[in-house]
Each structure stands twice: as structure tokens, then as C-alpha cells.
Amino acid sequence: MQNDFLSRRDEEKRMKEEGRIPPGQALTQKFPVLHYGPVPRFDEANWKLRVFGEVEQEKSWTWAEFQQLPTIRITTDIHCVTGWSKFDTTWEGPLFRDFFKLFDVKPSAQYVIAHAEHGFTANLPLDVLLEDDVLLAWKYNGEYLDPEHGFPVRLVVPQRYFWKSAKWLRGLEFSSEDKPGFWEQAGYHNEGDPWQEQRYGRR
Ligand SMILES: Nc1nc2c(c(=O)[nH]1)N[C@H]1C(S)=C(S)[C@@H](COP(=O)(O)O)O[C@H]1N2
Ligand SMILES: [Mo]
């Protein structure tokens, strides 16, 4: 009879062989909580999600309005730069690609800066957000997000290290120039592709 430790090691090895775990990452079954600063309190009366910058017209959604948007559910793997990966996480919310149809961006918009509570930011090329697996998620495993995991809304960008998946999202700024975000300014890689192991340093 195999003990749990050994079967987990076998599982990890199998997954690596399948090419599902990026270089330098180890699997976790837990759901670690990782962020800088305190967990913000959700103040529904004053909450808005704003779209601004290189858009034809600024727009914002209240929580009630935002919850009317059509949603999808995706199951995907996530990878944190500190070395943990988690397989088969299930998220639900509007697909960014659909949300993007609700306003017009100027042709100059090439980057998006996600703005979260307490001034946290993360920058991404618009192209990356337009992939078919990027969500403005409000549910995890069928339940509303826990406050520490980003309630009411967080970005989920599975194809980048998870620091780009800003929790407590409050705004999306469209920009003609790239603007390194919170961790990017602190020395994390600007692109953060786990498959290329872009952890630290700009390029
Ligand atoms: N607003 C905000 N979002 C954030 C962070 C943060 O510090 N502030 N940390 C990021 C990092 S480094 C990771 S790994 C994930 C962790 O998400 P989780 O706590 O739901 O696992 O959130 C990301 N989103
Ligand atoms: Mo992270």
C-alpha cells in the first residue's frame, strides 16, 4: 500500500511528464492566500468597476449592474511565482473578451493596467487579456470568492504568473504605453510567462 506522500509524488511526476507543470513549480492541493497589505472591506454602496484611459467613453458598473453580465465557467491551472501551482481551479464570471465588447477602445490601446483596492496595479498587454481564458471572476468552485481571494471581483489570467491576476479589481485602464504594475516595479518580470519562467528581471 502506498502512503499519501508517495502517491502525491507519483502524481506530480506524472503531471510533469504530461508537460502540465511549468519549470520550477511544485503542485499544491491547498489554496494559498497571497497578497500585499490588508484584505479590503467590500463597500457595496460605493463600489464601482471602471473602464478608463484610451476608450471612446469612460464607463462604470455598480455591483448590481456588473452581476447582470453573462458569465462563463472555466477550469484551469494557476501558477504563482513563489513556486506553487494548482491544477483544475474553477472560476466563474464574465469573460474579459465579452466584457470588452461593452465599450469601444481607441486604436491606440495596447496595454491594460488592472487597478485594485489600495492602489495595487498589474499591467498586461491587451492581447493577453483577449485570450479565451481570461475572466473577471466573482466565483470560485461555485461560491462567491472569499474576501481574501478577491471578493467581489478579481482578474484571472491563467497564462501568466498569478500575481497578474489582481484581486479586488476596481478598474481597467487602457493605455497606449505599458506601465509596470506593483510587483513589476518591485523587480518582477514584466511579462511573467510561467512556461518561459519569467519570474524576475524585466526580460
Ligand atoms: N490586489 C492584489 N491582487 C493580488 C495580489 C496583491 O498583492 N494584491 N497578489 C497576487 C499574487 S502574488 C498572487 S499569487 C495571487 C494569489 O491569489 P490567491 O490569494 O487567491 O491565491 O493574487 C495576486 N493578486
Ligand atoms: Mo504570487
Side-chain angles (χ1 to χ4, degrees), residues 11-38:
E11 176 71 357
E12 204 165 314
K13 193 157 159 269
R14 194 177 63 77
M15 292 296 194
K16 258 181 197 151
E17 281 162 10
E18 270 184 11
R20 198 172 158 189
I21 188 154
Q25 295 291 107
L27 267 187
T28 181
Q29 308 299 326
K30 291 182 257 172
F31 192 6
V33 171
L34 224 82
H35 56 263
Y36 180 80

mmCIF file of all heavy atoms in Angstrom, residues 11-38:
data_model
loop_
_atom_site.group_PDB
_atom_site.id
_atom_site.type_symbol
_atom_site.label_atom_id
_atom_site.label_comp_id
_atom_site.label_asym_id
_atom_site.label_seq_id
_atom_site.Cartn_x
_atom_site.Cartn_y
_atom_site.Cartn_z
ATOM 1 N N GLU A 11 2.025 11.317 -8.602
ATOM 2 C CA GLU A 11 1.095 12.167 -9.338
ATOM 3 C C GLU A 11 1.845 13.372 -9.918
ATOM 4 O O GLU A 11 1.675 13.732 -11.079
ATOM 5 C CB GLU A 11 -0.016 12.637 -8.384
ATOM 6 C CG GLU A 11 -1.019 13.625 -8.968
ATOM 7 C CD GLU A 11 -1.962 13.011 -9.990
ATOM 8 O OE1 GLU A 11 -1.813 11.810 -10.309
ATOM 9 O OE2 GLU A 11 -2.840 13.734 -10.471
ATOM 10 N N GLU A 12 2.692 13.961 -9.104
ATOM 11 C CA GLU A 12 3.442 15.134 -9.538
ATOM 12 C C GLU A 12 4.365 14.763 -10.714
ATOM 13 O O GLU A 12 4.489 15.520 -11.677
ATOM 14 C CB GLU A 12 4.261 15.670 -8.364
ATOM 15 C CG GLU A 12 4.598 17.128 -8.514
ATOM 16 C CD GLU A 12 5.072 17.736 -7.202
ATOM 17 O OE1 GLU A 12 4.431 17.503 -6.158
ATOM 18 O OE2 GLU A 12 6.094 18.422 -7.233
ATOM 19 N N LYS A 13 4.968 13.622 -10.606
ATOM 20 C CA LYS A 13 5.876 13.164 -11.650
ATOM 21 C C LYS A 13 5.105 12.933 -12.960
ATOM 22 O O LYS A 13 5.525 13.353 -14.030
ATOM 23 C CB LYS A 13 6.523 11.846 -11.185
ATOM 24 C CG LYS A 13 7.699 11.427 -12.022
ATOM 25 C CD LYS A 13 8.617 10.487 -11.240
ATOM 26 C CE LYS A 13 9.479 9.668 -12.178
ATOM 27 N NZ LYS A 13 8.847 8.389 -12.555
ATOM 28 N N ARG A 14 3.952 12.323 -12.807
ATOM 29 C CA ARG A 14 3.131 12.037 -13.984
ATOM 30 C C ARG A 14 2.727 13.331 -14.691
ATOM 31 O O ARG A 14 2.808 13.457 -15.908
ATOM 32 C CB ARG A 14 1.885 11.253 -13.552
ATOM 33 C CG ARG A 14 1.127 10.594 -14.711
ATOM 34 C CD ARG A 14 -0.050 9.787 -14.187
ATOM 35 N NE ARG A 14 -1.046 10.620 -13.518
ATOM 36 C CZ ARG A 14 -1.939 11.385 -14.151
ATOM 37 N NH1 ARG A 14 -1.959 11.414 -15.455
ATOM 38 N NH2 ARG A 14 -2.810 12.105 -13.454
ATOM 39 N N MET A 15 2.322 14.313 -13.879
ATOM 40 C CA MET A 15 1.896 15.597 -14.428
ATOM 41 C C MET A 15 3.049 16.300 -15.135
ATOM 42 O O MET A 15 2.877 16.893 -16.181
ATOM 43 C CB MET A 15 1.372 16.510 -13.318
ATOM 44 C CG MET A 15 0.094 16.032 -12.699
ATOM 45 S SD MET A 15 -1.262 16.035 -13.876
ATOM 46 C CE MET A 15 -2.646 15.833 -12.764
ATOM 47 N N LYS A 16 4.224 16.231 -14.518
ATOM 48 C CA LYS A 16 5.398 16.847 -15.137
ATOM 49 C C LYS A 16 5.663 16.207 -16.481
ATOM 50 O O LYS A 16 5.965 16.882 -17.460
ATOM 51 C CB LYS A 16 6.618 16.677 -14.236
ATOM 52 C CG LYS A 16 6.947 17.945 -13.475
ATOM 53 C CD LYS A 16 8.183 17.761 -12.608
ATOM 54 C CE LYS A 16 8.228 18.868 -11.568
ATOM 55 N NZ LYS A 16 8.888 18.476 -10.346
ATOM 56 N N GLU A 17 5.510 14.882 -16.490
ATOM 57 C CA GLU A 17 5.726 14.158 -17.738
ATOM 58 C C GLU A 17 4.689 14.576 -18.778
ATOM 59 O O GLU A 17 4.968 14.670 -19.952
ATOM 60 C CB GLU A 17 5.690 12.653 -17.489
ATOM 61 C CG GLU A 17 7.006 12.162 -16.889
ATOM 62 C CD GLU A 17 6.888 10.803 -16.223
ATOM 63 O OE1 GLU A 17 5.845 10.136 -16.382
ATOM 64 O OE2 GLU A 17 7.837 10.422 -15.541
ATOM 65 N N GLU A 18 3.528 14.819 -18.317
ATOM 66 C CA GLU A 18 2.476 15.276 -19.229
ATOM 67 C C GLU A 18 2.718 16.705 -19.708
ATOM 68 O O GLU A 18 1.989 17.228 -20.524
ATOM 69 C CB GLU A 18 1.124 15.280 -18.497
ATOM 70 C CG GLU A 18 0.376 13.992 -18.601
ATOM 71 C CD GLU A 18 -0.985 14.096 -17.935
ATOM 72 O OE1 GLU A 18 -1.420 15.221 -17.587
ATOM 73 O OE2 GLU A 18 -1.611 13.051 -17.765
ATOM 74 N N GLY A 19 3.677 17.372 -19.106
ATOM 75 C CA GLY A 19 4.004 18.731 -19.506
ATOM 76 C C GLY A 19 3.026 19.755 -18.992
ATOM 77 O O GLY A 19 2.857 20.817 -19.569
ATOM 78 N N ARG A 20 2.403 19.443 -17.888
ATOM 79 C CA ARG A 20 1.370 20.340 -17.413
ATOM 80 C C ARG A 20 1.870 21.308 -16.330
ATOM 81 O O ARG A 20 1.195 22.280 -16.011
ATOM 82 C CB ARG A 20 0.238 19.484 -16.858
ATOM 83 C CG ARG A 20 -1.045 20.234 -16.741
ATOM 84 C CD ARG A 20 -2.156 19.287 -16.388
ATOM 85 N NE ARG A 20 -3.238 20.044 -15.777
ATOM 86 C CZ ARG A 20 -4.277 19.494 -15.213
ATOM 87 N NH1 ARG A 20 -4.396 18.186 -15.167
ATOM 88 N NH2 ARG A 20 -5.213 20.238 -14.673
ATOM 89 N N ILE A 21 3.019 20.990 -15.764
ATOM 90 C CA ILE A 21 3.526 21.874 -14.712
ATOM 91 C C ILE A 21 4.742 22.649 -15.239
ATOM 92 O O ILE A 21 5.676 22.072 -15.772
ATOM 93 C CB ILE A 21 3.805 21.088 -13.412
ATOM 94 C CG1 ILE A 21 4.130 22.039 -12.276
ATOM 95 C CG2 ILE A 21 4.871 20.017 -13.568
ATOM 96 C CD1 ILE A 21 3.815 21.484 -10.904
ATOM 97 N N PRO A 22 4.706 23.980 -15.135
ATOM 98 C CA PRO A 22 5.808 24.780 -15.686
ATOM 99 C C PRO A 22 7.122 24.541 -14.926
ATOM 100 O O PRO A 22 7.098 24.069 -13.799
ATOM 101 C CB PRO A 22 5.324 26.219 -15.485
ATOM 102 C CG PRO A 22 3.853 26.138 -15.301
ATOM 103 C CD PRO A 22 3.615 24.820 -14.620
ATOM 104 N N PRO A 23 8.240 24.891 -15.536
ATOM 105 C CA PRO A 23 9.544 24.657 -14.903
ATOM 106 C C PRO A 23 9.656 25.341 -13.543
ATOM 107 O O PRO A 23 9.204 26.469 -13.373
ATOM 108 C CB PRO A 23 10.542 25.266 -15.899
ATOM 109 C CG PRO A 23 9.740 26.104 -16.838
ATOM 110 C CD PRO A 23 8.370 25.520 -16.856
ATOM 111 N N GLY A 24 10.229 24.630 -12.590
ATOM 112 C CA GLY A 24 10.494 25.210 -11.273
ATOM 113 C C GLY A 24 9.288 25.314 -10.366
ATOM 114 O O GLY A 24 9.367 25.896 -9.291
ATOM 115 N N GLN A 25 8.155 24.740 -10.769
ATOM 116 C CA GLN A 25 6.930 24.829 -9.968
ATOM 117 C C GLN A 25 6.648 23.494 -9.275
ATOM 118 O O GLN A 25 7.010 22.438 -9.784
ATOM 119 C CB GLN A 25 5.739 25.173 -10.868
ATOM 120 C CG GLN A 25 5.800 26.538 -11.527
ATOM 121 C CD GLN A 25 5.655 27.684 -10.550
ATOM 122 O OE1 GLN A 25 6.627 28.365 -10.262
ATOM 123 N NE2 GLN A 25 4.464 27.904 -10.024
ATOM 124 N N ALA A 26 5.992 23.538 -8.129
ATOM 125 C CA ALA A 26 5.549 22.332 -7.432
ATOM 126 C C ALA A 26 4.054 22.445 -7.165
ATOM 127 O O ALA A 26 3.531 23.534 -6.929
ATOM 128 C CB ALA A 26 6.303 22.176 -6.120
ATOM 129 N N LEU A 27 3.405 21.311 -7.198
ATOM 130 C CA LEU A 27 1.947 21.287 -7.025
ATOM 131 C C LEU A 27 1.527 21.491 -5.586
ATOM 132 O O LEU A 27 2.153 20.976 -4.677
ATOM 133 C CB LEU A 27 1.416 19.915 -7.434
ATOM 134 C CG LEU A 27 0.947 19.738 -8.854
ATOM 135 C CD1 LEU A 27 0.316 18.365 -8.980
ATOM 136 C CD2 LEU A 27 -0.074 20.817 -9.207
ATOM 137 N N THR A 28 0.425 22.202 -5.395
ATOM 138 C CA THR A 28 -0.185 22.260 -4.072
ATOM 139 C C THR A 28 -1.645 21.859 -4.186
ATOM 140 O O THR A 28 -2.288 22.105 -5.216
ATOM 141 C CB THR A 28 -0.062 23.652 -3.421
ATOM 142 O OG1 THR A 28 -0.654 23.601 -2.123
ATOM 143 C CG2 THR A 28 -0.747 24.737 -4.231
ATOM 144 N N GLN A 29 -2.155 21.223 -3.149
ATOM 145 C CA GLN A 29 -3.586 20.904 -3.086
ATOM 146 C C GLN A 29 -4.322 22.005 -2.352
ATOM 147 O O GLN A 29 -5.535 22.112 -2.408
ATOM 148 C CB GLN A 29 -3.824 19.572 -2.352
ATOM 149 C CG GLN A 29 -3.004 18.415 -2.903
ATOM 150 C CD GLN A 29 -3.295 18.103 -4.353
ATOM 151 O OE1 GLN A 29 -4.429 18.235 -4.815
ATOM 152 N NE2 GLN A 29 -2.274 17.708 -5.101
ATOM 153 N N LYS A 30 -3.560 22.797 -1.581
ATOM 154 C CA LYS A 30 -4.171 23.878 -0.802
ATOM 155 C C LYS A 30 -4.491 25.047 -1.730
ATOM 156 O O LYS A 30 -4.180 25.026 -2.907
ATOM 157 C CB LYS A 30 -3.203 24.346 0.280
ATOM 158 C CG LYS A 30 -2.999 23.310 1.381
ATOM 159 C CD LYS A 30 -2.067 23.845 2.439
ATOM 160 C CE LYS A 30 -0.713 23.238 2.258
ATOM 161 N NZ LYS A 30 0.365 23.701 3.009
ATOM 162 N N PHE A 31 -5.086 26.071 -1.168
ATOM 163 C CA PHE A 31 -5.305 27.305 -1.922
ATOM 164 C C PHE A 31 -4.656 28.434 -1.117
ATOM 165 O O PHE A 31 -5.296 29.055 -0.284
ATOM 166 C CB PHE A 31 -6.804 27.536 -2.111
ATOM 167 C CG PHE A 31 -7.145 28.619 -3.117
ATOM 168 C CD1 PHE A 31 -6.169 29.239 -3.892
ATOM 169 C CD2 PHE A 31 -8.455 29.006 -3.286
ATOM 170 C CE1 PHE A 31 -6.499 30.224 -4.817
ATOM 171 C CE2 PHE A 31 -8.806 29.999 -4.207
ATOM 172 C CZ PHE A 31 -7.823 30.604 -4.965
ATOM 173 N N PRO A 32 -3.346 28.643 -1.350
ATOM 174 C CA PRO A 32 -2.640 29.655 -0.568
ATOM 175 C C PRO A 32 -3.257 31.041 -0.773
ATOM 176 O O PRO A 32 -3.828 31.312 -1.822
ATOM 177 C CB PRO A 32 -1.224 29.615 -1.137
ATOM 178 C CG PRO A 32 -1.096 28.313 -1.841
ATOM 179 C CD PRO A 32 -2.471 27.986 -2.339
ATOM 180 N N VAL A 33 -3.151 31.875 0.231
ATOM 181 C CA VAL A 33 -3.595 33.268 0.137
ATOM 182 C C VAL A 33 -2.338 34.120 0.095
ATOM 183 O O VAL A 33 -1.493 34.010 0.974
ATOM 184 C CB VAL A 33 -4.452 33.664 1.356
ATOM 185 C CG1 VAL A 33 -4.719 35.168 1.354
ATOM 186 C CG2 VAL A 33 -5.768 32.898 1.341
ATOM 187 N N LEU A 34 -2.236 34.922 -0.945
ATOM 188 C CA LEU A 34 -1.015 35.709 -1.107
ATOM 189 C C LEU A 34 -1.337 37.099 -1.624
ATOM 190 O O LEU A 34 -1.901 37.242 -2.695
ATOM 191 C CB LEU A 34 -0.109 34.994 -2.128
ATOM 192 C CG LEU A 34 1.357 34.938 -1.725
ATOM 193 C CD1 LEU A 34 1.591 33.798 -0.784
ATOM 194 C CD2 LEU A 34 2.222 34.782 -2.955
ATOM 195 N N HIS A 35 -1.002 38.083 -0.845
ATOM 196 C CA HIS A 35 -1.130 39.458 -1.327
ATOM 197 C C HIS A 35 -0.387 40.403 -0.401
ATOM 198 O O HIS A 35 -0.024 40.041 0.703
ATOM 199 C CB HIS A 35 -2.604 39.874 -1.424
ATOM 200 C CG HIS A 35 -3.345 39.711 -0.134
ATOM 201 N ND1 HIS A 35 -4.110 38.618 0.134
ATOM 202 C CD2 HIS A 35 -3.396 40.483 0.964
ATOM 203 C CE1 HIS A 35 -4.634 38.727 1.340
ATOM 204 N NE2 HIS A 35 -4.205 39.851 1.871
ATOM 205 N N TYR A 36 -0.218 41.607 -0.889
ATOM 206 C CA TYR A 36 0.411 42.657 -0.111
ATOM 207 C C TYR A 36 -0.686 43.488 0.552
ATOM 208 O O TYR A 36 -1.662 43.840 -0.101
ATOM 209 C CB TYR A 36 1.255 43.534 -1.046
ATOM 210 C CG TYR A 36 1.939 44.657 -0.335
ATOM 211 C CD1 TYR A 36 3.120 44.424 0.371
ATOM 212 C CD2 TYR A 36 1.393 45.935 -0.328
ATOM 213 C CE1 TYR A 36 3.741 45.448 1.061
ATOM 214 C CE2 TYR A 36 2.019 46.964 0.352
ATOM 215 C CZ TYR A 36 3.189 46.723 1.046
ATOM 216 O OH TYR A 36 3.785 47.728 1.720
ATOM 217 N N GLY A 37 -0.540 43.785 1.819
ATOM 218 C CA GLY A 37 -1.473 44.682 2.503
ATOM 219 C C GLY A 37 -2.705 43.974 3.033
ATOM 220 O O GLY A 37 -2.854 42.763 2.907
ATOM 221 N N PRO A 38 -3.625 44.754 3.641
ATOM 222 C CA PRO A 38 -4.817 44.176 4.261
ATOM 223 C C PRO A 38 -5.886 43.769 3.245
ATOM 224 O O PRO A 38 -5.894 44.265 2.122
ATOM 225 C CB PRO A 38 -5.342 45.310 5.146
ATOM 226 C CG PRO A 38 -4.841 46.564 4.510
ATOM 227 C CD PRO A 38 -3.564 46.225 3.802
#
